[in-house]
Amino acid sequence: MKRSDAVAEAAITLLAERGMRGLTHRAVDEAAGLPPGSTSNVARTRAALLELTLSRLTELEERVFAEAMPDGGPPGFDLAELLARVLMVQLRDRRRTLARYELALEATRRPELRVIYDRAGRRFRDPAVAVLAAAGSRDPVRHARQLVAFAEGVMFDAIVGAGEEPSPDDLIAGVREILAGMLTGPRPDGG
């Protein structure tokens, strides 16, 4: 593993375990088992460390989505099952999801991180628009926003909210209900 990846992985773990206040260059060195000063050599400032961590997190999440979302989907694939599978992977990797929430909150206070966070988010939202358009959505951009909001809400509730982790069957049923409204419901103009 490259040193920058080791630093980012340790930062992800620290964010999940200790929150933003626990993320220091020294703590990353210790968590990664690196000599003192190693993190500073990879990411000189806190902003650089946050950017590196967010980049690594995005890369890891893209891998999950790429593995779950075949190009255009095989004939007869079940979109609800596919999306539910992606959600289950996200729920099972609490470390990564908690770190993403920490970075999302920090991005509300750091405009430079917000730009990077929003750019990373588009890498997931744009494919959702394409999938929904191919599935027959009459308003794929709006529906993609709603589907992402639904997914984020499910994950937030299961990981940090008062809810419990939904079963795969519950997730599939929930996604099916959301998609049914998007793909067979009334047109956005009321027609």
Side-chain angles (χ1 to χ4, degrees):
M1 179 183 294
K2 296 185 310 188
R3 181 166 283 198
S4 60
D5 290 346
V7 165
E9 288 289 338
I12 289 167
T13 298
L14 287 169
L15 284 170
E17 292 176 355
R18 302 180 190 174
M20 196 57 68
R21 289 178 156 227
L23 182 67
T24 65
H25 284 72
R26 180 179 297 169
V28 172
D29 286 341
E30 291 171 6
L34 296 170
S38 296
T39 299
S40 288
N41 288 333
V42 173
R44 176 84 39 214
T45 64
R46 182 167 181 81
L49 180 58
L50 292 173
E51 182 176 340
L52 175 72
T53 305
L54 182 56
S55 293
R56 177 67 175 169
L57 197 54
T58 302
E59 176 188 324
L60 295 172
E61 289 185 335
E62 280 183 321
R63 283 186 200 162
V64 168
F65 283 90
E67 290 169 8
M69 301 285 265
D71 292 334
F77 82 102
D78 186 318
L79 182 57
E81 287 183 19
L82 201 64
L83 295 174
R85 187 169 56 228
V86 169
L87 276 171
M88 284 307 298
V89 171
Q90 291 294 97
L91 289 172
R92 288 191 178 126
D93 192 343
R94 297 174 67 84
R95 176 189 76 107
R96 191 177 61 225
T97 304
L98 283 170
R100 186 164 52 82
Y101 288 151
E102 288 287 340
L103 289 166
L105 289 171
E106 188 67 11
T108 67
R109 296 179 283 277
R110 290 179 176 259
E112 71 281 5
L113 187 60
R114 174 91 266 155
V115 170
I116 297 163
Y117 191 84
D118 289 347
R119 186 174 41 231
R122 281 191 297 278
R123 291 163 70 174
F124 299 99
R125 290 176 191 269
D126 292 348
V129 170
V131 166
L132 288 168
S137 167
R138 295 180 183 176
D139 193 349
V141 173
R142 184 172 58 82
H143 287 157
R145 278 195 316 267
Q146 292 172 339
L147 188 59
V148 169
F150 167 79
E152 290 290 348
V154 167
M155 288 188 299
F156 189 86
D157 187 55
I159 291 177
V160 300
E164 57 188 52
E165 185 174 307
S167 72
D169 289 340
D170 286 341
L171 282 176
I172 291 169
V175 174
R176 274 195 212 297
E177 291 164 356
I178 293 289
L179 290 174
M182 292 177 177
L183 302 177
T184 60
R187 292 176 36 169
D189 60 7

